[in-house]
Amino acid sequence: MKLELGKIFIKDVQFADHTYVDKGVLYVCAAEIEKLVLEDSHLIACRVELAHPGESVRIAPVKDAIEPRVKVSGGQIFPGIIGKVNQVGCGRTHVLSGAVVLTVGRIVGFQEGLIDMSGPAACYTPFSETQNVCVVIEPREGLETHEYETAGRLAGLKVAAYLGEAARELEPDEITVYETKPLLEQIAQYPDLPRVGYLHMLQSQGLLHDTYYYGVDAKQFLPTIMYPTEIMDGAIVSGNCVAPCDKVTTYHHLNNPVIEDLYKRHGKDINFMGVILTNENVFLADKIRCSDMTGKLAEYLGLQGILITEEGYGNPDTDLMMNCKSIADKGVKVVLITDEFPGRDGSSYSLADSTPQADTIVSCGNGNVIVNFPPMERVIGTLDYVEMMIGGYDGSLHEDGSIEAELQIVIASTIANGFNKLSAKGY
């Protein structure tokens, strides 16, 4: 399967009377966006605000981040959600690279986070460096929580698809081609290179902990095999409100650094065979069933090495370790990528579970570290919920608007697929 990804680099975003791109500037029509969002009767108000790198702006509570894209050929963006249920990962897709849609507004679940566009906390999230179109939504009174999450998720995806249309007829600044061949062809292409795969674990524990695969709730399927380009092309979208620091936003599914790096090394020192997709379960029987199947699929693909990433922490650490053991027992070398929660002083256990087979781990940082957030001149959304967010606590929000909280309150600060700037050394 071959995907052409054409990037149009966005250096600024501004309001205009219609939506278009000119000389690296994305011009957005707020009225059109608000009208599109309010087609959903679950939402009673919407406003659009812009946030640029370096501004004295704090955004909270942030629900999801989505990169504007459009399928020029080979299907429709976000299939099974706002597009038809058809296969993606092939053809051509145009990307407004550097622009991001952020969904914001009254809290859905306590596991939503914040973004600072400047100051000492800005370095912990990639979205302090992007041109952000913030879609601030207001649910109708008494709206059930899961319905609110669905409305917010659809609002963000629809706006991203709407903005992406501005790129359809543009000539990209950069075009990159990604290709993974059918299994036997892929093996034959580089027979002398080690066969390496990627196990992508999706948050799927229910109660606002859902992720969607071609529109299907991830907890409803068993482990499967994917072309990597499907993930890069919108087959997976976030529908969860897990701890902000390691939440895999829809943006991060589209821009997965593990997949990017494996493609860069493909044909040089590895043969990148593809992706095994699995979920994270609540019940032990489901964990056993799915981890047994990931081991079987790794064996079936003839993998010699695999990288595994998880989403969330605590309970999912058990899924992580069970997957590690199952695959390692098939003779496959395993590398885990995860963040840590060893307490504010780092003296506690980093993970909630372990296995002897987990002998090679890459750390994405400690989510329990205390961070001080200075006051900002402008708030997009509201700070009313800071003290009930994951990472916040009684007394976190000060009268002057400054915040003291754990790092995990920041969106994607320790994201467990390596899309961040933190790590740790073992001794």
Side-chain angles (χ1 to χ4, degrees), residues 84 87 96-97 108 121 141 159-160 167 170 197 216 260 323 328 345 348 355 361 366 380 417:
K84 294 181 179 179
Q87 182 175 276
L96 294 180
S97 180
V108 176
E141 199 64 37
V159 172
L170 297 180
V216 176
E260 288 275 1
N323 284 319
D345 61 359
S348 186
T355 183
I361 301 177
N366 177 5
I380 297 177
N417 65 10

Side-chain angles (χ1 to χ4, degrees), residues 96-204:
L96 294 180
S97 180
V100 171
V101 174
L102 297 176
T103 45
V104 190
R106 191 195 306 180
I107 202 162
V108 176
F110 60 88
Q111 294 170 306
E112 296 173 50
L114 60 81
I115 294 168
D116 276 5
M117 298 303 296
S118 63
C123 64
Y124 293 116
T125 175
F127 304 119
S128 64
E129 301 174 1
T130 54
Q131 306 293 332
N132 299 322
V133 179
C134 303
V135 180
V136 185
I137 56 176
E138 180 71 24
R140 73 166 189 251
E141 199 64 37
L143 184 63
E144 193 272 333
T145 304
H146 292 82
E147 291 181 322
Y148 181 21
E149 185 282 319
T150 300
R153 171 162 39 89
L154 292 176
L157 295 173
K158 288 192 293 185
V159 172
Y162 161 79
L163 295 177
E165 284 292 335
R168 183 178 290 277
E169 304 298 331
L170 297 180
E171 183 61 33
D173 299 308
E174 173 186 291
I175 298 177
T176 306
V177 179
Y178 302 89
E179 184 176 17
T180 298
K181 297 180 180 295
L183 181 60
L184 296 182
E185 294 180 42
Q186 188 70 31
I187 293 173
Q189 186 179 27
Y190 300 107
D192 298 325
L193 294 179
R195 297 180 297 277
V196 176
Y198 169 42
L199 176 62
H200 188 23
M201 295 171 55
L202 302 183
Q203 179 59 245
S204 58

Side-chain angles (χ1 to χ4, degrees), residues 8-130:
I8 294 93
F9 296 117
I10 301 301
K11 303 172 184 177
D12 191 13
V13 59
Q14 298 293 335
F15 286 122
D17 59 1
H18 67 286
T19 296
Y20 65 102
V21 175
D22 183 45
K23 298 179 181 178
V25 179
L26 171 61
Y27 293 93
V28 302
C29 178
E32 290 181 1
I33 291 174
E34 291 164 6
K35 180 180 178 182
L36 178 66
V37 170
L38 293 178
E39 289 175 352
D40 189 336
S41 62
H42 295 99
L43 303 175
I44 60 172
C46 171
R47 71 178 186 276
V48 180
E49 298 193 43
L50 306 179
H52 306 86
E55 292 182 335
S56 181
V57 172
R58 176 163 296 145
I59 311 168
V62 177
K63 295 157 182 45
D64 197 11
I66 312 105
E67 186 173 54
R69 294 185 170 206
V70 62
K71 288 294 295 174
V72 177
S73 63
Q76 296 182 3
I77 200 68
F78 308 128
I81 304 288
I82 62 170
K84 294 181 179 179
V85 184
N86 52 23
Q87 182 175 276
V88 292
C90 60
R92 185 161 175 171
T93 300
H94 285 179
V95 181
L96 294 180
S97 180
V100 171
V101 174
L102 297 176
T103 45
V104 190
R106 191 195 306 180
I107 202 162
V108 176
F110 60 88
Q111 294 170 306
E112 296 173 50
L114 60 81
I115 294 168
D116 276 5
M117 298 303 296
S118 63
C123 64
Y124 293 116
T125 175
F127 304 119
S128 64
E129 301 174 1
T130 54

Side-chain angles (χ1 to χ4, degrees), residues 212-270:
Y212 293 87
Y213 166 69
Y214 282 97
V216 176
D217 190 332
K219 63 177 172 286
Q220 297 179 12
F221 68 73
L222 293 171
T224 188
I225 299 170
M226 292 185 73
Y227 283 99
T229 53
E230 293 179 85
I231 300 174
M232 304 173 79
D233 209 22
I236 300 174
V237 302
S238 176
N240 64 65
C241 302
V242 301
C245 61
D246 53 11
K247 173 185 170 68
V248 181
T249 69
T250 299
Y251 177 94
H252 288 96
H253 286 298
L254 294 166
N255 297 277
N256 187 304
V258 176
I259 293 175
E260 288 275 1
D261 286 352
L262 288 173
Y263 266 126
K264 288 177 183 177
R265 297 179 60 175
H266 176 63
K268 298 176 181 177
D269 55 0
I270 64 168

